[in-house]
Amino acid sequence: MQDRSLRLPDATEIAAITAQHLIATPLRPADLLFVFGTRVEEALRAETACRLWREGYFRHAIVSGGMTSGGDETECAVIKRAMVAGGIPAGLILEEHRATNTGENVIFSLPVLEAALGLANIRSVICLGNTWTSRRYPMTLQRHWPEVEKMLVTVDSFGVPHERWHTHPDLRRRVLAEWDKIDPYKAKGFIAEWP
């Protein structure tokens, strides 16, 4: 069976992915920055969180991410340490250390948020994650926490504009792999339509 993420998409698919998956949302100050864990580009994720903090875009943050194979620290520990080193007060960053996928990021973080802040006190969330995963972050939040307003900030170090994602072989492979998850994940109830 051929790996579908290695295909060369046609113009129609490129346009659909650019419009529907690699979305940008208007950004305004939020109650919470939800930092989704990663095994790549942890420093870029933390730098972006620090920039958002300096610009006044959130009051609290949660970093969610468990152990990765071959690692000796959780994704949460690595990213939070870099966020604190970049100037965000440690006491404002909540931690979730068990999640191994996007669904678990949300499921395991909700009780942490409820205990520390109260979910009813959080009205808006900025999701921060990889460009290639893009709208799947807020779609996962929509499935488990529909009441909250969701915004999205994505990062990567590929150096190509979002509308040119298909011109970079590694970014193209990652985007196509994530795009192909959307319909099956909706069918299984892992994510919900958003926006």
Side-chain angles (χ1 to χ4, degrees), residues 85-135:
I88 302 174
L92 299 182
I93 306 171
L94 302 171
E95 303 174 27
E96 187 291 304
H97 292 275
R98 298 184 299 148
T100 60
N101 60 55
T102 307
E104 288 181 354
N105 288 138
V106 174
I107 292 166
F108 294 161
S109 292
L110 290 177
V112 175
L113 292 165
E114 175 62 33
L117 305 173
L119 292 176
N121 297 318
I122 304 169
R123 293 175 303 283
S124 54
V125 176
I126 297 171
C127 302
L128 175 58
N130 298 321
T131 298
W132 52 91
T133 307
S134 208
R135 80 172 172 143

Side-chain angles (χ1 to χ4, degrees), residues 53-163:
W53 170 253
R54 286 189 304 273
E55 294 173 0
Y57 277 106
F58 63 92
R59 296 185 299 138
H60 296 277
I62 187 163
V63 182
S64 174
M67 294 295 290
T68 58
S69 65
D72 55 359
E73 287 186 289
T74 63
E75 294 169 348
C76 174
V78 171
I79 295 169
K80 179 177 179 177
R81 183 172 51 251
M83 288 169 65
V84 171
I88 302 174
L92 299 182
I93 306 171
L94 302 171
E95 303 174 27
E96 187 291 304
H97 292 275
R98 298 184 299 148
T100 60
N101 60 55
T102 307
E104 288 181 354
N105 288 138
V106 174
I107 292 166
F108 294 161
S109 292
L110 290 177
V112 175
L113 292 165
E114 175 62 33
L117 305 173
L119 292 176
N121 297 318
I122 304 169
R123 293 175 303 283
S124 54
V125 176
I126 297 171
C127 302
L128 175 58
N130 298 321
T131 298
W132 52 91
T133 307
S134 208
R135 80 172 172 143
R136 196 159 59 78
Y137 297 118
M139 290 179 81
T140 305
L141 270 180
Q142 183 70 17
R143 164 64 179 85
H144 299 284
W145 197 10
E147 303 82 10
V148 74
E149 177 193 357
K150 297 150 196 79
M151 293 168 273
L152 178 62
V153 173
T154 61
V155 296
D156 68 69
S157 60
F158 290 108
V160 295
H162 286 176
E163 65 275 6

